Amino acid sequence: MIEPRLKYVSCPGPAAAIAPSSGAHRMAFWDWGGAGGPAAEGHVIVCAHGLSRQGRDFDTLARALAGHARVICPDVAGRGHSDWLADPAGYQIPQYAADMLALLAQLHAESPIQTLDWVGTSMGGLIGLVLAGQPGLPLPAPVRRLVLNDVGPAIEPQALARIGQYLGVPAHYTSLEQAADALWKDSQGFGPHTREQWLQLSRPMLRPAPQGGFVLHYDPAIAMSFRAMTPELAEAGEQLLWQLYDQTTAQVLLLRGAQSDLLSPQTAQAMQQRGPCARLVQFDGMGHAPTLIDPAQVAVVTQFLLGDGGTGEP
């Protein structure tokens, strides 16, 4: 079975565990490259996770893509194996986008990027939207195809309220099984999963606790910026995201859980009618957000990225 390599990139902004004078933090990423040989190295697909998740969420999708492209799955700052930031105010999309630019520059220096695609779940989709919709960024190649997994420029308030109920709340677990059960209570929108599938998704969400057992992988301080969001800031952010969306030249595939409380049917419809005119695919029996583990979900994404993108073009 193909397994990724854990690597790191130095990014601007001090880490919590390093003297501020260092001015940098490390972002971890999982590199699935090499399985397809040199021909696949020039095609890079970045898979970016959601707010409280980490890069191993994409293992199933990455294995399906790794024979055709170099698949890169970052742990966004404050999550997984990445450094925690010295200043919690940095846990916002602009910092994450800057970190991704550093990552892409390092990848490009290692092996020139000829084709760049992006798969983003929730927060990861917003990061991709910033990179794809902002002219003049120092990207090694323009984003060609963009998969937005259950996210758009407008985010429903009830979803933010739901996420705010569990984000950053301290938790300690005595076993993987106990943690998996607790995580499932906050993840009903992910839809049906077998017990083994859910355990596989849950293992990377944990790190050993000093007192024994497990705690969640992320810095609890990621909740600070989230909870500081006001209606005025949310409105301004939505306007900016719509502007970025309208400026996006990439082909866009929009995935939506049919019962999503974060991406409304109205927003999804608007995204089909303006800007890049996204192609919408909905999955029944789930809300926010499809985990891209089910074979039908994987097939939709791989066909979009490796085929003609739904345009009929070669």
Side-chain angles (χ1 to χ4, degrees), residues 253-257 279-283 300:
L253 172 64
L254 179 61
L255 307 178
R256 182 176 184 270
R279 172 193 167 200
L280 174 65
V281 176
Q282 293 198 122
F283 299 108
V300 168

Side-chain angles (χ1 to χ4, degrees), residues 19-302:
S21 59
S22 69
H25 62 274
R26 292 197 314 169
M27 181 174 70
F29 63 96
W30 300 92
D31 187 350
W32 294 81
E41 288 293 310
H43 182 188
V44 169
I45 301 172
V46 178
C47 300
H49 60 75
L51 180 64
S52 63
R53 306 293 302 183
Q54 38 64 49
R56 297 306 298 264
D57 272 2
F58 295 100
D59 281 10
T60 299
L61 178 63
R63 288 192 176 97
L65 294 169
H68 308 275
R70 184 180 184 184
V71 183
I72 304 294
C73 303
D75 288 344
V76 175
R79 288 88 166 169
H81 292 263
S82 292
D83 287 341
W84 293 8
L85 299 181
D87 183 1
Y91 289 129
Q92 298 191 62
I93 299 295
Q95 177 69 63
Y96 305 150
D99 289 359
M100 297 304 169
L101 288 175
L103 168 63
L104 291 170
Q106 178 171 303
L107 296 175
H108 188 58
E110 294 172 357
S111 181
I113 299 175
Q114 300 170 350
T115 303
L116 175 62
D117 293 331
W118 191 279
V119 179
T121 296
S122 197
M123 179 190 75
L126 298 183
I127 299 170
L129 191 56
V130 168
L131 298 181
Q134 195 169 170
L137 291 180
L139 292 167
V143 178
R144 181 191 65 139
R145 291 177 183 168
L146 173 64
V147 180
L148 298 176
N149 185 16
D150 211 68
V151 71
I155 297 175
E156 296 303 299
Q158 62 266 30
L160 298 178
R162 174 180 57 79
I163 294 168
Q165 291 177 353
Y166 65 80
L167 185 68
V169 176
H172 179 268
Y173 310 104
T174 59
S175 67
L176 168 63
E177 288 73 16
Q178 182 193 28
D181 291 341
L183 290 169
W184 180 246
K185 292 179 181 178
D186 297 324
S187 307
Q188 298 295 308
F190 288 3
H193 288 74
T194 66
R195 182 62 173 173
E196 183 55 34
Q197 285 174 333
W198 189 247
L199 288 173
Q200 289 177 4
L201 280 172
S202 298
R203 285 188 187 97
M205 294 289 291
L206 306 173
R207 59 183 177 87
Q211 69 273 34
F214 302 94
V215 293
L216 292 174
H217 67 99
Y218 64 81
D219 181 357
I222 66 173
M224 292 179 62
S225 294
F226 183 86
R227 293 199 172 99
M229 181 66 64
T230 65
E232 293 77 17
L233 288 173
E235 182 179 356
E238 180 179 332
Q239 292 176 0
L240 175 59
L241 288 170
W242 275 119
Q243 180 181 346
L244 292 170
Y245 181 76
D246 289 338
Q247 293 172 172
T248 297
T249 58
Q251 296 179 47
V252 177
L253 172 64
L254 179 61
L255 307 178
R256 182 176 184 270
Q259 286 78 50
S260 176
D261 63 347
L262 188 140
L263 176 64
S264 71
Q266 294 78 15
T267 298
Q269 182 179 22
M271 293 172 72
Q272 295 177 81
Q273 298 171 344
R274 59 187 285 184
C277 297
R279 172 193 167 200
L280 174 65
V281 176
Q282 293 198 122
F283 299 108
D284 293 331
M286 65 197 64
H288 183 76
T291 57
L292 308 184
I293 287 179
D294 182 83
Q297 297 173 22
V298 171
V300 168
V301 175
T302 54

